[in-house]
Amino acid sequence: MSRLDDLKKRAVDEIEAHRDQLVELSLRIHANPETAFREAKAAGWLTDYLEAEGFAVERGICQIGTAFRASYGSGRPRVAFLAEYDALAGIGHGCGHNIIAMASLGAAIATKAIVPEAGGTAVVIGTPAEEAAGGKVLMASRGAFDDLDVAMLVHPGNRDVAVTYALACLELNVEYFGRAAHAAARPEAGINALDALVIAYNSVSALRQHIRDSARIHGIITDGGQAVNVVPEHAAGVFLLRDEDDDYLDELKEKVLACFRAGAEATGARLEYRWGEEARYRAMRSNRALAEAYRRNMEALGRQVQERDSGRSLGSTDMGNVSALVPAIHPTVAIAPPDVPIHTPEFRDVSASQAGHRGLLDAAKAMAMTAVDVLLDADLRRRIEEEFRGGQ
Ligand SMILES: [Zn+2]
């Protein structure tokens, strides 16, 4: 057996040896769902476990109480496994983040076992609030991912896929200010802010026909006036712009803004707007070289893994912001049949089932084996790095 295969086998054995603890903690997090930035129990259990396993733990990093970093070893390469552990309001762990957390902890514990021989550092970064607030966006801007060589996170889903996509996403808040007047007695004295927003809304609808297929623009009206017999003096809305290309999103900003200016021009209402750039999600850039290593390792465990997601990307994830800073992958591991989508009570139940446990353990093993590849294979590291820099 080659040294590489020998170390991979030891990593896998290590996960088997921790199997019961990994599953038990997954079920405990699942049974105690906590939403964005309130994941105090989960963060406490995860960091206690890592500390007991010999990791150096920093709690509350990036001025976020439930964020953490744990590391074992020293120097480069630094291989990071990202843990999510937030739940959905109402549904609980309908996105299976308990599995994400424990797969990453399992992978880190296995990597720890081979670090004394292979060198480098095994790192776990605990990233809160993926669902509601984009915790990694905040953490990325505060330097949490700056000194890493690779970052991995496996998400449970319906298929085994190595390269997944996610859309860049930017929020736009708009307000129109008009002038109130009696809607029947003195309509000529009013300036209709709702009309301005409706014109803008319809302009956006017309624009959709003439932008890339991959782009999405969707919005709601949050204020359309207060009284039916008063010309609305104020109207407001929130819109989201998305695309798989960060640069194209910037082009879209101008086009969308023109729609809102049209509403102001047509009615005389004053437009105020604000782009949520500080919370902008970047498009997911999966590192192909790293994803290919992961795919081979997962297939060695007996799963058929699709090289890339064939369907169009649908949502957005804060992992995109990580992938802009460090070579990263965000594969999916199948735990549920195709008719059980994420963010449902059914998917929540699967996340605590035998199929969920199998996904957790396989994802941990595949990531740990990929970490062995990264630590031992200088040529792979060069290809990962070149691809990353080439795409900058
Ligand atoms: Zn999720």
Side-chain angles (χ1 to χ4, degrees):
M1 194 184 279
S2 73
R3 179 161 175 250
L4 193 76
D5 290 336
D6 176 51
L7 288 179
K8 284 185 183 178
K9 183 178 180 311
R10 274 163 54 189
V12 167
D13 290 347
E14 194 69 14
I15 288 163
E16 278 301 320
H18 288 81
R19 176 190 199 114
D20 292 347
Q21 288 164 294
L22 294 170
V23 168
E24 189 273 327
L25 192 40
S26 172
L27 289 172
R28 211 189 315 159
I29 292 170
H30 190 273
N32 292 273
E34 300 166 299
T35 54
F37 297 124
R38 298 202 179 102
E39 315 93 332
K41 285 183 197 155
W45 293 328
L46 294 169
T47 50
D48 287 352
Y49 185 40
L50 285 162
E51 213 158 50
E53 288 290 327
F55 283 75
V57 175
E58 294 168 75
R59 296 173 173 84
I61 63 167
C62 300
Q63 301 123 57
I64 300 171
T66 52
F68 66 86
R69 179 182 174 116
S71 57
Y72 184 91
S74 61
R76 306 192 92 126
R78 290 194 192 92
V79 177
F81 308 96
L82 271 49
E84 295 173 0
Y85 31 86
D86 58 319
L88 297 158
I91 294 186
H93 277 289
C95 202
H97 290 187
N98 55 307
I99 291 174
I100 297 179
M102 297 322 297
S104 280
L105 258 69
I109 288 165
T111 306
K112 185 202 101 180
I114 60 116
V115 152
E117 191 176 329
T121 310
V123 180
V124 181
I125 301 183
T127 63
E130 191 275 332
E131 296 290 358
K136 294 183 202 67
V137 179
L138 209 56
M139 292 178 71
S141 70
R142 293 174 183 174
F145 312 107
D146 283 353
D147 61 348
L148 306 174
D149 291 280
V150 297
M152 297 185 247
L153 180 162
V154 178
H155 201 296
N158 308 106
R159 290 175 303 146
D160 286 286
V161 182
V163 170
T164 57
Y165 301 91
L167 303 176
C169 182
L170 177 64
E171 185 174 285
L172 171 64
N173 276 274
V174 294
E175 279 184 281
Y176 287 101
F177 297 89
R179 190 189 306 132
H182 193 295
R186 289 295 309 280
E188 73 280 11
I191 296 176
N192 194 320
L194 177 61
D195 278 348
L197 187 47
V198 168
I199 287 165
Y201 191 96
N202 288 329
S203 301
V204 168
S205 295
L207 173 64
R208 274 195 207 101
Q209 175 73 8
H210 302 287
I211 57 177
R212 288 183 190 169
D213 271 357
S214 54
R216 299 284 183 273
I217 310 171
H218 48 100
I220 57 169
I221 293 176
T222 53
D223 181 12
Q226 304 299 323
V228 68
N229 54 358
V230 178
V231 173
E233 63 174 336
H234 181 260
V238 189
F239 288 73
L240 290 177
L241 283 61
R242 307 191 200 224
D243 192 65
E244 15 180 78
D245 179 347
D246 291 299
D247 294 333
Y248 189 62
L249 199 66
D250 285 322
E251 285 180 39
L252 275 184
K253 283 175 73 173
E254 287 310 309
K255 294 177 192 289
V256 169
L257 203 50
C259 296
F260 286 95
R261 288 203 180 104
E265 180 71 19
T267 60
R270 181 170 55 83
L271 169 67
E272 279 188 21
Y273 64 91
R274 188 176 175 283
W275 295 105
E277 281 289 350
E278 72 289 344
R280 175 171 173 163
Y281 283 49
R282 305 286 303 265
M284 179 68 208
R285 289 174 52 201
S286 289
N287 188 279
R288 307 282 166 132
L290 186 60
E292 180 55 19
Y294 168 89
R295 191 184 67 79
R296 286 196 192 155
N297 288 320
M298 192 57 127
E299 294 218 321
L301 296 169
R303 283 181 185 253
Q304 289 288 320
V305 182
Q306 252 175 267
E307 202 177 317
R308 69 185 68 182
D309 206 339
S310 49
R312 292 306 268 201
S313 47
L314 296 171
S316 305
T317 173
D318 57 8
M319 189 67 179
N321 295 53
V322 179
S323 75
L325 298 170
V326 52
I329 54 171
H330 187 276
T332 56
V333 62
I335 66 163
D339 60 339
V340 178
I342 59 170
H343 292 207
T344 59
E346 292 76 18
F347 196 89
R348 173 195 62 208
D349 296 345
V350 173
S351 298
S353 70
Q354 288 301 327
H357 304 338
R358 277 196 299 278
L360 184 173
L361 295 165
D362 283 349
K365 289 172 187 172
M367 280 194 285
M369 292 159 84
T370 307
V372 174
D373 284 325
V374 170
L375 293 177
L376 259 62
D377 187 344
D379 183 57
L380 173 64
R381 286 204 299 278
R382 187 186 48 75
R383 283 185 286 121
I384 288 171
E385 185 60 28
E386 274 179 11
E387 181 189 329
F388 180 73
R389 274 191 271 111
Q392 286 289 62

